[in-house]
Amino acid sequence: MTRSWDWATGEGLLGLDNPEEWDAAFERGERSLGTAAIGLAFNCSLEDASPRLVRATQLPDTDQRGFAFTAVGTAARLNGALTPELYEVLRAAGPGRRSIAVNAVDDTLTFVPFRDLPPWLKRWAVYATVRDKLEGWWLRGEDAARRVWQAVRRG
């Protein structure tokens, strides 16, 4: 069934289920390609969606690029895996807290079995876990010290 997609507003693009339609829109330079990439992640096989998601993560528009990384995270959630090309996109974007890919990396770490992750992402997962644990301990210690100081000042 051929559908009419509103590329200008993004209306209906979360239902996009035709990779060739995404390719044609990319060639035409349409807007909302990142939004449509989420539709591909929802409605197409990982193998069909992957090359389009990779291209979408390189879009010049920051918002649409952000949606493309949302699509990568969605693909990880739905498939419990990513393609080597998508892992490389995540690696290139960087897994840190200030990365545009931070949520996609988090989704990947949550929904892809640890044994299936590439070595660099396994190392990142261990690092992030240790960092978060230490940060939590630090914040709890800081809070306890503040409460002690307040009690001493009142007493």
Side-chain angles (χ1 to χ4, degrees):
M1 175 167 119
T2 303
R3 297 183 194 153
S4 175
W5 311 104
D6 190 340
W7 292 96
T9 66
E11 184 77 28
L13 291 176
L14 293 179
L16 185 67
D17 58 0
N18 184 340
E20 290 77 25
E21 177 67 26
W22 192 94
D23 293 339
F26 182 83
E27 292 304 319
R28 292 190 307 267
E30 295 285 2
R31 297 179 55 199
S32 303
L33 287 164
T35 305
I38 297 172
L40 292 177
F42 275 127
N43 301 304
C44 297
S45 72
L46 181 60
E47 292 71 28
D48 286 341
S50 178
R52 283 89 181 174
L53 301 185
V54 169
R55 277 190 274 164
T57 63
Q58 307 305 313
L59 292 169
D61 181 87
T62 304
D63 291 336
Q64 290 303 310
R65 201 167 54 247
F67 291 144
F69 280 103
T70 298
V72 174
T74 300
R77 283 175 177 255
L78 295 175
N79 297 287
L82 291 176
T83 62
E85 296 79 16
L86 289 172
Y87 283 122
E88 192 51 43
V89 163
L90 293 180
R91 185 178 191 171
R97 290 179 178 166
R98 294 185 178 185
S99 169
I100 192 169
V102 66
N103 293 326
V105 169
D106 288 346
D107 285 346
T108 301
L109 293 175
T110 301
F111 294 100
V112 175
F114 187 82
R115 69 182 174 279
D116 296 339
L117 296 173
W120 73 267
L121 196 48
K122 287 179 181 178
R123 287 189 299 276
W124 173 256
V126 170
Y127 164 78
T129 300
V130 170
R131 179 202 61 206
D132 292 347
K133 181 61 81 174
L134 291 173
E135 190 175 86
W137 288 344
W138 176 265
L139 292 172
R140 282 192 298 280
E142 197 175 68
D143 185 52
R146 185 175 30 259
R147 281 186 273 131
V148 167
W149 178 248
Q150 289 172 349
V152 167
R153 286 182 48 200
R154 275 182 267 164

